Every structure is written in C-alpha cells, then in structure tokens.
Amino acid sequence: MQLTFDADVEKFRAEFVAFLDAHLPDDAETMQRSRSSSDVPPWARRWQRLLFDHGWLLPGNPPEFGGRNATVLQQYVHAEELSRRRIYPSFNPQGVGIIAASILSFGTSEQKQQWAVPILRAEIAASLGMSEPGAGSDLASLSTKAVRDGDHFVVNGQKVWTSGAHDADVLLTFVRTDPDAPKHKGISVLLIPTDSPGLSRRPFASASDREDLDFNEVFFTDVRVPAENLVGPLNEGWRVANGSLGHERTMLWMGYADQLQELTVDFSPSGALECDHYATLAMDCEALRLLGSVAVARAARGDEDVAAMSVLKLLGSEAVQAATGHVLSSAGGDGLIHPALTGPYAPLNLDSHFASWFDRYFRTFAATIAGGTSEIQRNIIAQRILGLPRN
C-alpha cells in the first residue's frame, strides 16, 4: 500500500499550483456572477481560455484539446487543487465536462474542431438535451424524433430540465431515429444550434432558486439539422449516452467530499450538531475520500469500475443531504433565514454559502437526481456488485 504520490505527480501538482498563483483572476473581476450553467461572464471566458491554452483545462486531454496527456493520478491532484481553492475551471460545466468530452469520444475530426474546441475555449456554450416530460431517469423512453430528409434531419418533440439552454449556443440532443427499434435502440445524437428556426426555449424557476433561472423547456417544431451534426453512428445514441454520463460521474464524488469536509470544519468547534450526527458526518466524509481514492487507484491501473462510481455517487449525495438535514433540524427557526455572520450556525467559509440552511438542504435533493438518481444507482449496485437478479 502506498499512501503518497510519486515524485512525478507531486512535480505536476507544484507546476499547477505555480500557474494558479501567477494567473488567478482578481477578486474584483470575479464578482460578476453567472446566471445559469451556460452563461459564462467575460472574465470567466478569459480564464477558461487561459487554462485551455496552457493545458490546464482538462489535463488528461492532448494539448490540442486543452490538456497535457496527464495520467489519472495527475488529473486527480489537478482536481484536488481546484477543489482546495474552490476554483471553477469553467462556468459551462456540462459543456466542458460532458458535451465537449462526448464529441471528443464519439465525434468526427470536423466536429471536434467545429464544436468541441470552441466549447473548450469558451467561445460558445453548450447544454445537454436529454430529459423529457416522460423520460427522466428512464432516458431510453424518450420520444423526441428525428426523421431523415435528404441531407438534414427534421426534429420534433420536447426536452425539459435542460440546464442553461436559454444561454447556450448549441444543444447535444438525444432523439429517436428508429421508432420501430427496441427502446434502447434507435436513439441518435444531434448537435442542434439554438438559433435554428423552429427551436424555442422557455426557462423556468426551480423551487429552491427563483432568481437565477437555469432549467428550461425546449421545444422542437420541424427543426432542420444538417446530417453532418450527427454525433456517433446512427441509432447508436445509447452508447453515446452512457459515455456522456460516464464523463459526468468520473470525479463527481470529490465535490461531495468537499461539502462534507466543509461541514466538519464549520461545526467541529461549535457543538451545534449532536455528537452522533457529527460523528456520522465525519465518518461519511472519511469513508467517501477513502473509497474515492481506491477508485482513482484502480483507474490509474487501467481498471474501469462503473459500479464503484455508483457507490461513490450514492454515498456522497445522500451523505450531504443527511448532514445538511441534521444542521437544519438543529438550527430550528434560525435555519430558515440567511446565515448570520456570527452564531453557532454561521458557516466559517462564508464566501461559499449564500443561502439559508433550508435552501441548502432543499438543493441537496437535486444531487440525488442529477447524474443518475439514487434509485438507479442502487439498481446498478445491486446487479453489478451484489449480483442480484434484475427482477
């Protein structure tokens, strides 16, 4: 067992830290906020482009796509340093982490240059068109259809929960191209520019945030999409979908671990949490980091462990939800108001918290849904780890 990183990994970390120390934007500049997950302020575009140009945006990528061919462990310490400083490499996370990554995995060389590179360089923003009113966690039930018409596809249907669509330039959209195929077959993926005639976007508020709109309904009415915008083979969209969600889940657990770590710091000296609740919080935090480290070590050896990602996602999202719920319960009426600067329930890291504990608890339910619901994760764990039958 090796509990430290090799010299090459620590050298990589030191180089990245030096870059951050030299190039981080000024605090005054970063006060301009993002209104949605596809709204990238000018300073954030410059920051993302700087990361791309120096190979620090997605270090596992080759240099032409914003990286430096980093190993898995080097990618891990890169994410660790970003997390430690609470730095976002992009304000269009689904564009960089899911959509551009999917194009690089499944797209043509022309699509990589036309779409992936501009997304990675923050020249355009992208959103993910997956969920529909009747196809949420069960994506394979989608009904938005695309019919081939010469050198175009004609798209009709609706998407929902499409984060940032009203600020996006392009949607990576999952459509049904063979209605007679089994539901996991006959799905294809299209890159659809949001200024296409017949495409309309309607943002709507969430119950936990009525000021900054992110969710959207997206409607397609005879939208004509060039056939060259097909990502991956025709009717092989399910494979692309699995790859897209895989990109989303790879380092997702680190964000949950950071939230748990913050809570252990916020409440360790105050006694505001009951002892057993605080102990559970501390153990969940440590367990998540240890299990995550094991998964990273396996990935570094070339072992793909999809089920382990489900364990980490389930543990992390539900541990954050439980811990935040305990804080809210302990805070009582104080949990309904914006946190004061003093008192037992005032977070120590005030820069990262802008809502009441009730709002923060309410938002944790999104984490148990996005990236694959807890129910789906339990099914994967039951089948792939415990060996239980599907029915």
Side-chain angles (χ1 to χ4, degrees):
M1 178 182 294
Q2 180 178 339
L3 300 179
T4 58
F5 293 108
D6 290 335
D8 66 314
V9 178
E10 290 300 345
K11 180 181 178 182
F12 182 90
R13 185 202 300 271
E15 185 179 352
F16 183 45
V17 168
F19 171 85
L20 293 177
D21 289 341
H23 295 287
L24 274 180
D26 295 332
D27 290 342
E29 187 179 27
T30 62
M31 290 301 291
Q32 185 180 5
R33 297 177 58 224
S34 174
R35 298 168 302 171
S36 81
S37 56
S38 291
D39 174 50
V40 186
W43 73 265
R45 290 182 184 271
R46 293 191 295 271
W47 168 241
Q48 182 176 323
R49 196 169 299 129
L50 186 69
L51 289 169
F52 178 96
D53 290 342
H54 287 80
W56 292 119
L57 181 64
L58 294 170
N61 286 0
E64 62 268 28
F65 298 123
R68 47 184 61 203
N69 294 313
T71 67
V72 170
L73 292 180
Q74 288 172 335
Q75 293 174 62
Y76 175 80
V77 298
H78 171 268
E80 193 174 53
E81 290 302 323
L82 289 174
S83 176
R84 180 173 295 153
R85 295 170 180 242
R86 298 194 64 81
I87 296 170
Y88 296 104
S90 172
F91 279 75
N92 182 216
Q94 74 277 5
V96 170
I98 301 176
I99 297 163
S102 297
I103 297 170
L104 294 181
S105 295
F106 299 99
T108 64
S109 57
E110 292 80 8
Q111 288 171 344
K112 294 174 185 179
Q113 293 303 318
Q114 182 181 357
W115 300 105
V117 170
I119 292 170
L120 293 172
R121 286 181 53 79
E123 294 166 358
I124 62 174
S127 290
L128 184 64
M130 275 189 168
S131 296
E132 299 183 2
S137 295
D138 185 13
L139 175 66
S141 296
L142 66 85
S143 60
T144 295
K145 64 180 180 180
V147 178
R148 185 68 181 259
D149 180 22
D151 58 357
H152 284 73
F153 287 95
V154 180
V155 180
N156 285 277
Q158 177 188 356
K159 297 293 180 179
V160 74
W161 313 115
T162 314
S163 298
H166 61 300
D167 289 316
D169 300 291
V170 65
L171 305 178
L172 185 73
T173 311
F174 288 76
V175 295
R176 188 162 297 283
T177 44
D178 185 353
D180 298 322
K183 74 175 191 176
H184 287 81
K185 304 291 185 180
I187 296 173
S188 299
V189 185
L190 295 173
L191 285 160
I192 306 181
T194 56
D195 61 359
S196 300
L199 188 155
S200 61
R201 297 160 284 173
R202 187 167 67 190
F204 60 91
S206 67
S208 63
D209 192 345
R210 296 187 173 275
E211 295 182 4
D212 293 332
L213 302 180
D214 196 31
F215 290 142
N216 280 254
E217 293 177 296
V218 182
F219 301 91
F220 304 89
T221 305
D222 294 331
V223 177
R224 296 184 66 82
V225 182
E228 64 192 27
N229 288 15
L230 175 69
V231 179
L234 183 69
N235 298 324
E236 292 293 329
W238 189 248
R239 185 161 63 92
V240 179
N242 287 329
S244 298
L245 294 176
H247 292 306
E248 183 181 20
R249 293 171 183 162
T250 303
M251 295 288 184
L252 189 62
W253 65 270
M254 293 184 69
Y256 300 132
D258 291 338
Q259 293 178 59
L260 293 172
Q261 182 66 41
E262 281 190 5
L263 290 172
T264 63
V265 173
D266 284 343
F267 296 106
S268 59
S270 67
L273 278 179
E274 294 181 13
C275 288
D276 57 341
H277 290 159
Y278 183 81
T280 299
L281 164 64
M283 289 188 292
D284 285 345
C285 180
E286 190 66 18
L288 184 60
R289 288 203 182 278
L290 290 173
L291 289 172
S293 297
V294 171
V296 169
R298 287 176 178 166
R301 295 193 296 269
D303 298 334
E304 185 178 10
D305 193 346
V306 176
M309 294 298 105
S310 290
V311 172
L312 292 168
K313 202 275 182 181
L314 179 65
L315 170 60
S317 62
E318 295 203 345
V320 169
Q321 185 175 91
T324 311
H326 291 319
V327 175
L328 176 62
S329 178
S330 298
D334 290 341
L336 300 177
I337 61 175
H338 190 284
L341 296 181
T342 60
Y345 300 101
L348 298 183
N349 185 3
L350 290 171
D351 289 341
S352 65
H353 306 309
F354 298 98
S356 70
W357 285 107
F358 173 79
D359 289 333
R360 293 180 62 192
Y361 174 64
F362 205 71
R363 291 173 185 175
T364 64
F365 287 87
T368 61
I369 298 172
T373 66
S374 290
E375 290 77 12
I376 294 295
Q377 307 308 325
R378 285 186 169 87
N379 284 344
I380 294 172
I381 293 167
Q383 295 164 21
R384 300 191 185 185
I385 296 180
L386 302 179
L388 299 178
R390 293 181 63 88
N391 297 313

